[in-house]
Amino acid sequence: MRSSKGPMFHDPDLMPFTPLEKPSLWAMRENFLVNYPRAAYREDRSVLPGFPPVTPKINLIMSPALIEEMLVTRAEEFSRDRLTVSTLSGPINKESLFFAEGADWKWQRRAVSAAFRHENLLAQVETFAACAREQAALWRRLEAGRPVDVAPAMSRVTFEVILRSVLGAAPSFDRGRFVAELAPALGAIGWRRICAIIGLPPDLIPHPGSFRAAAALRYLSQATRALIEERRASGVARNDLLQLLLSARDPETGRVMTDAELEGNLYTFLVAGHETSAVAMSWSLWLLAKDQATQERLREEVRAVAGEEEIGPATVEKLVFTRQVLQESMRLFPPAAGFARQPRERTTLGPYHFSKGETIAVLIWCLHRHEKLWDDPHGFDPDRFAPEKVKARHRYAYIPFGAGPRICLGMSFAMLEMTTLLATFVREFRFSTAPGHRLVIDARFTTRAKGGMPLLIEPIRPTAEGELAPAA
């Protein structure tokens, strides 16, 4: 087994494409990452020339110092960019916290932040473990030796986690259909991005999958509204995120969320709250299937920390290496590959000048693989996230959840959730790669693998009931 200080793991699939010499509008449908120039992996700033005369250039920044200046030090001087708003305002819901700006964003952010206090999150670990145990029981019933696509399994388990945490009991909610309708709703994002790039309104221009996506979005909207109406009709106040949204009040103006804002925020938490975790979990299992030595090291840590008991609030934060595996997984394959801002007025970042409204993109994918920031950037090495190495690195060299005031509100929730899930699964099963599978990236919404993530899953700790022993 590779020691904790041994050589990192290498595999050609860890950099699964070659950057194009010239950007391709067609590539924006599924994997826009190929358009990022080679310079984006080694320079502080680059430019994507666009597609003249149809589209303007996009400025690319990969310098942690410039990122800190834009997202942290001077965050209020920049807003979400037009391209992101146009592309995602259908699938994500424009009334949500994701798109809110200024005072509206501030009070809504404050209103829901209480749900993400550390003590409240630790209380959810038992829910995370229960969902992991249920998924493990499903895997134990499968036929041995046949590849299993872990991507939909991770979507199911992370959606169940977010559903129980956000809503608690929701007996009339059709979980299966809601998750199924997300596929066409989010699958049209690639075409929406192309429409937005060339200046056409994505909601009005027919494109492949647009009618199916519109029908899916109508269902998702109706299902989300029904959850809100069901809670109101019940007259029962619960200690969950939905209740916080319903009772939120701006301390300065006294206003509450409109029905549109309630729906937008609940829908966004349901979608984004499980999608990014599902993607990160899928990549983590795939990387461990590739690197058996790291998989065994993680398994040994779980056994040493938790023994045969379920992962609980007292043990989850002791799983240091498990967390490092997740961090390295999100370095190589960040669920969100990038995002952008635009200056509200003409401005500078470092030595660079930008016009009002000019798109400035932060390329997380390239930042996390930057030659000046990471040794052997395409290798897999969880020890990059050992505490002493993290301290030696610029704080904004690694931003899988964003940075600054708009950093992902669910970051700590996701890390506790994924640590619990990954530790449970690796202790219970050995994951191996499926023969003949070739990785292709699909980055329309999040950084997924096209065609799923088939792995071989072998139980290694059989029990009478296919479940872990409950924590003492």
Side-chain angles (χ1 to χ4, degrees):
M1 186 180 72
R2 187 177 68 204
S3 71
S4 62
K5 301 299 181 183
M8 67 180 67
F9 179 79
H10 296 89
D11 187 283
D13 281 347
L14 300 191
M15 180 56 182
F17 59 83
T18 301
L20 298 176
E21 293 299 328
K22 294 183 179 179
S24 163
L25 190 61
W26 188 250
M28 302 298 284
R29 290 180 310 117
E30 292 185 355
N31 183 16
F32 63 90
L33 303 177
V34 298
N35 283 332
Y36 294 166
R38 296 177 190 274
Y41 295 87
R42 56 178 179 264
E43 303 296 339
D44 288 348
R45 186 238 183 179
S46 185
V47 175
L48 194 63
F51 306 95
V54 180
T55 65
K57 69 178 182 180
I58 298 177
N59 299 283
L60 314 174
I61 60 172
M62 291 71 60
S63 159
L66 296 180
I67 291 168
E68 180 178 13
E69 184 178 355
M70 183 171 76
L71 299 182
V72 183
T73 311
R74 299 166 54 202
E76 293 189 356
E77 299 177 31
F78 299 84
S79 64
R80 284 209 182 273
D81 66 301
R82 177 196 64 82
L83 176 60
T84 297
V85 173
S86 184
T87 301
L88 297 182
S89 58
I92 293 297
N93 193 314
K94 201 171 182 179
E95 299 296 329
S96 70
L97 184 62
F98 182 84
F99 290 110
E101 296 279 356
D104 276 348
W105 171 81
K106 286 181 180 178
W107 87 263
Q108 290 185 55
R109 174 93 177 195
R110 285 197 305 267
V112 299
S113 61
F116 297 93
R117 291 175 184 150
H118 192 65
E119 63 272 20
N120 293 337
L121 297 182
L122 282 178
Q124 296 287 347
V125 173
E126 291 181 0
T127 298
F128 306 157
C131 292
R133 185 173 66 247
E134 291 163 13
Q135 179 59 50
L138 291 175
W139 276 339
R140 286 186 177 279
R141 300 188 190 113
L142 297 176
E143 180 182 345
R146 294 188 63 179
V148 177
D149 187 354
V150 299
M154 292 303 94
S155 290
R156 285 192 301 271
V157 71
T158 56
F159 189 76
E160 189 62 28
V161 163
I162 203 72
L163 192 63
R164 295 183 193 182
S165 301
V166 170
L167 297 174
S172 65
F173 185 67
D174 189 340
R175 295 159 167 79
R177 184 174 177 191
F178 194 95
V179 173
E181 294 292 343
L182 285 173
L186 301 179
I189 285 177
W191 286 105
R192 290 181 62 89
R193 183 180 290 111
I194 290 176
C195 290
I197 286 172
I198 60 179
L200 299 174
D203 291 327
L204 302 180
I205 302 299
H207 50 266
S210 60
F211 296 110
R212 178 67 184 91
L217 287 168
R218 284 194 296 272
Y219 170 80
L220 294 168
S221 176
Q222 293 165 2
T224 305
R225 285 199 304 272
L227 287 169
I228 297 169
E229 293 164 1
E230 181 179 330
R231 174 63 63 84
R232 281 173 168 164
S234 74
V236 177
R238 297 191 178 96
N239 184 25
D240 57 25
L241 183 59
L242 177 54
Q243 195 63 43
L244 274 174
L245 294 174
L246 287 167
S247 60
R249 185 177 298 274
D250 186 342
E252 296 180 3
T253 66
R255 89 170 184 89
V256 297
M257 290 189 192
T258 65
D259 285 353
E261 288 169 340
L262 282 169
E263 179 192 331
N265 281 313
L266 179 57
Y267 171 74
T268 300
F269 279 119
L270 289 174
V271 175
H274 93 279
E275 170 70 10
T276 51
S277 293
V279 171
M281 281 295 303
S282 296
W283 286 117
S284 297
L285 292 173
W286 178 79
L287 285 163
L288 292 174
K290 289 272 191 181
D291 184 359
Q292 290 290 318
T294 294
Q295 183 180 160
E296 184 57 31
R297 182 177 165 195
L298 189 155
R299 187 175 293 118
E300 289 175 358
E301 177 187 70
V302 179
R303 288 171 174 162
V305 169
E308 300 300 308
E309 292 186 346
E310 202 171 73
I311 308 302
T315 52
V316 66
E317 294 186 298
K318 298 176 183 178
L319 296 170
V320 177
F321 185 69
T322 304
R323 185 182 181 93
Q324 289 176 203
V325 168
L326 288 161
Q327 291 171 313
E328 176 69 344
S329 170
M330 289 188 290
R331 184 190 68 83
L332 284 169
F333 297 96
F339 56 88
R341 296 286 187 268
Q342 60 186 39
R344 300 181 189 274
E345 302 293 340
R346 182 176 177 82
T347 191
T348 60
L349 284 174
Y352 308 111
H353 295 267
F354 301 97
S355 302
K356 176 181 178 180
E358 198 170 348
T359 300
I360 306 173
V362 177
L363 304 186
I364 300 176
W365 177 276
C366 298
L367 175 73
H368 286 186
R369 294 168 177 261
H370 202 280
E371 295 172 10
K372 292 181 180 178
L373 301 173
W374 306 92
D375 293 331
D376 205 349
H378 303 306
F380 176 60
D381 182 12
D383 283 310
R384 297 180 198 271
F385 292 91
E388 66 276 9
K389 292 189 177 181
V390 172
K391 290 178 183 177
R393 213 163 34 234
H394 194 292
R395 181 176 179 181
Y396 298 100
Y398 177 74
I399 53 169
F401 295 99
R406 299 194 76 122
I407 193 170
C408 175
L409 193 59
M411 175 178 67
S412 296
F413 179 101
M415 289 306 300
L416 286 171
E417 170 200 17
M418 293 189 295
T419 301
T420 304
L421 295 176
L422 190 62
T424 301
F425 295 152
V426 173
R427 181 172 56 181
E428 292 291 294
F429 302 94
R430 177 171 290 103
F431 296 88
S432 306
T433 54
H437 176 251
R438 186 66 182 173
L439 178 65
V440 178
I441 292 286
D442 183 341
R444 277 174 285 189
F445 179 46
T446 51
T447 312
R448 283 186 171 271
K450 185 175 182 180
M453 192 76 77
L455 297 177
L456 297 174
I457 304 176
E458 176 191 356
I460 57 176
R461 200 166 69 94
T463 66
E465 298 179 358
E467 297 182 351
L468 289 171

